[in-house]
Amino acid sequence: MIVTFDFDGTLAPSFNLVNRCIIQVAKDNGIFLKESDLIPYYGPTEEGMINNILKSDNRANFKKYLQYYSEYHNIELNRLNPYVNELLDHLKDKGVNIILLTGRSKESTDISLAYFGLNKYFTKIYTGSKNGSNKAFNFTKVMNDFSCSSKDIIYIGDSKKDVLECQKSNIKILSINFDNERLAKIKEINNFSYSSFIELEKELNKYL
């Protein structure tokens, strides 16, 4: 069994950090945005989002984003979601292949994994594409890399979009969200939805 985790909103409450840094880069370029303005741009990595917002493929903007990301990390993202380490330790003790599969950039992923000391848990890490969402592509890569089928993979994610992508790839998803309103919307399309990792672990243990 391969247990695959999303990062943003799943392992860590990271959206405030990501949004703040993108908004700051946009401001540096004379574009003033609110967090709600970023919603239509989600899908690609942060680099892709910035390129689309600025209508420019100047990598210097993404490098500036990464500087802000490192600078603000301790302010906006100084903790993981509750019970993450305990769950990851539990899975590691069970000998489970733990994978990170996220839509964010490799560069910012590396910064956060190092900050929280999470690299020791993951057998492999798959990150996003600046050209758009690539989770379905990465699910195929997981199956090829580990010579397994979709039935051997469980994904842990926090959004309705994660559910839909997993359904397209015939992958079981256990959803987690700490916001009651968002969780209720996820439950409309996924019965396996939880408000804490303790609840999620009870279900996950059935497959280990």
Side-chain angles (χ1 to χ4, degrees):
M1 180 58 63
I2 297 173
V3 179
T4 309
F5 286 88
D6 179 38
F7 186 83
D8 296 304
T10 302
L11 295 182
S14 49
F15 289 111
N16 286 347
L17 173 60
V18 171
N19 291 344
R20 177 176 179 178
C21 297
I22 291 176
I23 287 170
Q24 185 61 55
V25 172
K27 183 179 179 181
D28 291 345
N29 285 270
I31 297 175
F32 299 87
L33 301 171
K34 306 183 298 293
E35 285 198 12
S36 59
D37 296 327
L38 301 182
I39 294 173
Y41 293 97
Y42 269 93
T45 60
E46 306 98 296
E47 182 176 8
M49 291 175 66
I50 291 167
N51 290 347
N52 291 336
I53 290 167
L54 301 181
K55 297 179 174 56
S56 168
D57 195 7
N58 184 349
R59 192 166 172 82
N61 290 312
F62 180 57
K63 290 181 178 178
K64 189 66 176 178
Y65 165 85
L66 292 173
Q67 291 177 14
Y68 287 132
Y69 190 90
S70 295
E71 179 182 345
Y72 299 149
H73 204 296
N74 192 52
I75 300 169
E76 297 286 358
L77 183 59
N78 54 25
R79 61 180 176 84
L80 296 170
N81 281 327
Y83 202 65
V84 165
N85 287 109
E86 289 87 344
L87 177 58
L88 293 174
D89 283 330
H90 172 69
L91 294 175
K92 190 174 182 180
D93 290 344
K94 289 278 188 180
V96 174
N97 264 329
I98 311 172
I99 289 172
L100 183 68
L101 195 154
T102 173
R104 61 157 56 217
S105 67
K106 180 183 184 302
E107 293 87 345
S108 65
T109 299
D110 288 343
I111 292 170
S112 288
L113 293 183
Y115 182 92
F116 291 116
L118 292 178
N119 284 293
K120 62 183 179 182
Y121 292 112
F122 299 114
T123 306
K124 198 156 183 133
I125 297 168
Y126 300 83
T127 53
S129 166
K130 70 177 183 178
N131 297 317
S133 176
N134 68 340
K135 283 190 176 178
F137 174 77
N138 277 337
F139 284 138
T140 300
K141 285 185 68 177
V142 171
M143 288 183 268
N144 291 335
D145 291 345
F146 290 86
S147 300
C148 68
S149 74
S150 60
K151 294 180 181 179
D152 300 312
I153 302 170
I154 294 177
Y155 191 69
I156 313 296
D158 71 307
S159 69
K160 289 183 72 172
K161 187 174 181 180
D162 288 334
V163 175
L164 296 173
E165 297 213 24
C166 285
Q167 289 174 344
K168 289 179 184 177
S169 299
N170 197 30
I171 287 173
K172 185 170 187 63
I173 177 169
L174 304 184
S175 299
I176 184 165
N177 200 293
F178 301 91
D179 181 282
N180 290 334
E181 185 176 342
R182 292 179 182 175
L183 182 63
K185 291 180 180 178
I186 295 170
K187 284 183 176 180
E188 293 174 359
I189 58 173
N190 183 24
N191 292 329
F192 301 96
S193 301
Y194 309 93
S195 60
S196 76
F197 278 108
I198 295 176
E199 294 175 334
L200 184 143
E201 184 182 314
K202 292 178 182 177
E203 179 65 27
L204 190 55
N205 281 334
K206 298 176 183 179
Y207 306 93
L208 303 184

